[in-house]
Amino acid sequence: MTNINIGNKIRELRKKKGITQEALASVLSVSPQAVSKWESGLTYPDMEMIPVIAGYFEVSMDILFDYDVREMKAKIQKIIDDAWDYFFDDTQKYIEIMKGALREYPGNEELLTALLDAYEYNLRDKGDTSCLDEMIELSQKIITESNDFIRVCNVKDIQAAAYLKKGEYQKAKSVLESLPREYDLRDWAFAFRLSGRDKLNGATMSRCHHLQGLYQACMEEGNAWFFMDQHPDVKFRDYTSDDYIPEALKCYQEGLHVLTTFLLTDYYDNPAEQYLWEGMQTFHWSFLQCIAACYKKLGNVEECEKYIVEAYHLISVVWKDFEENKEYYMEYFYKYLNKYDLAEYIK
């Protein structure tokens, strides 16, 4: 176990300050014998005295305890790294190593998480249900005490798995419901862990998140290529300016393909009802504009005009109130035409 050398540190700080044990005892309102016992390691100061001593010497409590947190973290990480060789092939040995380390560093978050991960692996890979209660207790401790957002989310997922194995479906669902919707965490967990309508709802929403992320990524990658010439200081691999637009066109076409693959209805059957959520419409006609812009830069005016016409047709039919609010919708349509160097098409 890490040695606490508070007595040695008090003596070191006292001598550095140039005072006697009697003088320090007077300042702290204790007996000189008490200070002597601290410095000899026979006793420790009372807990309420620790901040007073640290404040008097103007040091942190870590320094007063002569306690190197970074060194401790490095030792713990080495224990985990060295034990990793056993995680899959001899999980029980890995578990024993973590338990042994926790006896030396009780309550350490990294070790608790490593132990929990091993229990979860045994449960998932080997069907070992012997530690379900311990998993729930361990995970709750981490959830309650940790400030690490990602760690807490992962641990909640493991806790839900333990509850499910115990047949406590509603408790598992309650844990997963506490996950944030951001980053698709809750919906993916519902899809992966739960069943029935809960699983279906989670999977449906998760698909939407992933789909949206994918076509948005295609749009941003295309934009990076399209506007590359605006940053002449950027030298990207062996590409030249003549390569930028074909690469942009490829990204935009891929994004359009991703988006239209998951439309709810055929494009010409009921265009206003074909989208999974509000906002897909804007990306749909934006991709058409982007493709038109690429064809313009490539000198293919005919294809450029074709996609502009298609983009306009799309925006005019996918919004049911287009005619009533045409000025509003076209403001954004023109804005993007201008962004992609298609100002000549603005009327």
Side-chain angles (χ1 to χ4, degrees):
M1 185 171 180
T2 303
N3 290 324
I4 299 177
N5 298 316
I6 188 170
N8 291 337
K9 183 57 66 173
I10 289 174
R11 181 171 61 249
E12 176 188 324
L13 293 169
R14 177 179 62 76
K15 289 184 176 181
K16 186 176 181 180
K17 201 172 182 69
I19 61 173
T20 64
Q21 289 183 343
E22 289 76 10
L24 178 59
S26 176
V27 169
L28 299 177
S29 299
V30 298
S31 69
Q33 291 81 4
V35 175
S36 177
K37 288 181 179 180
W38 296 344
E39 294 187 359
S40 62
L42 294 176
T43 61
Y44 295 132
D46 293 337
M47 287 305 298
E48 61 269 19
M49 184 66 66
I50 301 299
V52 178
I53 298 172
Y56 174 71
F57 287 118
E58 298 181 339
V59 297
S60 70
M61 291 176 64
D62 281 348
I63 291 177
L64 184 61
F65 278 94
D66 199 15
Y67 194 68
D68 192 329
V69 176
R70 286 174 298 181
E71 180 183 349
M72 180 193 73
K73 288 183 176 180
K75 288 179 179 179
I76 290 171
Q77 191 58 54
K78 188 174 188 310
I79 291 171
I80 296 173
D81 291 344
D82 289 346
W84 183 251
D85 290 341
Y86 303 107
F87 187 91
F88 297 105
D89 298 330
D90 192 348
T91 312
Q92 193 55 42
K93 183 169 183 178
Y94 181 92
I95 288 172
E96 293 306 319
I97 293 172
M98 292 306 109
K99 286 183 174 180
L102 280 165
R103 285 191 287 272
E104 185 173 358
Y105 302 100
N108 179 265
E109 195 172 294
E110 299 292 338
L111 292 171
L112 291 173
T113 304
L115 178 60
L116 183 62
D117 286 340
Y119 284 147
E120 191 274 338
Y121 175 73
N122 265 351
L123 175 63
R124 171 169 41 90
D125 189 67
K126 302 171 185 175
D128 184 352
T129 59
S130 62
C131 299
L132 294 179
D133 289 333
E134 188 175 352
M135 287 177 67
I136 291 169
E137 181 180 351
L138 192 58
S139 58
Q140 191 58 43
K141 179 177 176 60
I142 297 171
I143 291 167
T144 303
E145 299 179 0
S146 178
N147 293 316
D148 187 324
F149 170 77
I150 299 299
R151 187 193 304 277
V152 169
C153 290
N154 290 334
V155 167
K156 284 183 176 181
D157 182 63
I158 293 174
Q159 187 180 70
Y163 275 127
L164 286 171
K165 282 296 181 181
K166 284 172 66 75
E168 300 181 28
Y169 185 89
Q170 288 303 319
K171 286 187 177 180
K173 181 179 177 180
S174 178
V175 171
L176 296 181
E177 283 177 333
S178 70
L179 291 170
R181 267 253 158 80
E182 291 82 358
Y183 317 109
D184 192 30
L185 293 175
R186 186 191 308 173
D187 294 320
W188 171 245
F190 266 49
F192 183 70
R193 294 291 184 191
L194 302 183
S195 58
R197 178 63 65 176
D198 294 324
K199 185 180 187 71
L200 179 61
N201 290 341
T204 301
M205 290 303 299
S206 184
R207 180 184 67 163
C208 292
H209 287 303
H210 288 292
L211 171 60
Q212 186 177 42
L214 182 54
Y215 68 63
Q216 284 183 323
C218 289
M219 174 67 79
E220 295 308 322
E221 185 180 359
N223 287 344
W225 284 112
F226 188 86
F227 296 107
M228 188 71 74
D229 274 335
Q230 295 183 11
H231 302 277
D233 55 318
V234 176
K235 295 181 180 179
F236 188 60
R237 288 193 247 170
D238 297 325
Y239 290 98
T240 65
S241 58
D242 291 337
D243 298 312
Y244 297 157
I245 301 306
E247 290 293 333
L249 178 60
K250 178 183 176 183
C251 293
Y252 293 142
Q253 288 173 331
E254 289 174 343
L256 180 63
H257 177 71
V258 169
L259 189 151
T260 55
T261 296
F262 291 91
L263 295 179
L264 296 175
T265 67
D266 183 78
Y267 173 70
Y268 294 102
D269 285 348
N270 194 351
E273 301 294 339
Q274 63 185 331
Y275 300 101
L276 290 166
W277 60 84
E278 290 289 325
M280 287 183 76
Q281 301 98 315
T282 302
F283 272 92
H284 196 166
W285 57 256
S286 294
F287 273 122
L288 295 172
Q289 284 189 341
C290 292
I291 292 170
C294 290
Y295 279 123
K296 178 189 174 185
K297 284 185 175 291
L298 293 171
N300 193 330
V301 177
E302 183 177 348
E303 284 294 296
C304 172
E305 292 179 343
K306 184 184 81 171
Y307 276 95
I308 291 292
V309 170
E310 187 176 350
Y312 177 78
H313 172 73
L314 181 66
I315 193 174
S316 68
V317 298
V318 297
W319 303 105
K320 295 179 180 180
D321 59 343
F322 179 78
E323 290 302 326
E324 293 85 351
N325 298 284
K326 184 174 181 178
E327 185 177 344
Y328 169 78
Y329 289 118
M330 292 307 294
E331 178 183 351
Y332 290 95
F333 190 80
Y334 293 149
K335 176 181 177 181
Y336 281 94
L337 283 178
N338 189 57
K339 176 181 178 180
Y340 292 100
D341 195 25
L342 294 167
E344 63 196 83
Y345 295 94
I346 299 176
K347 298 178 182 180

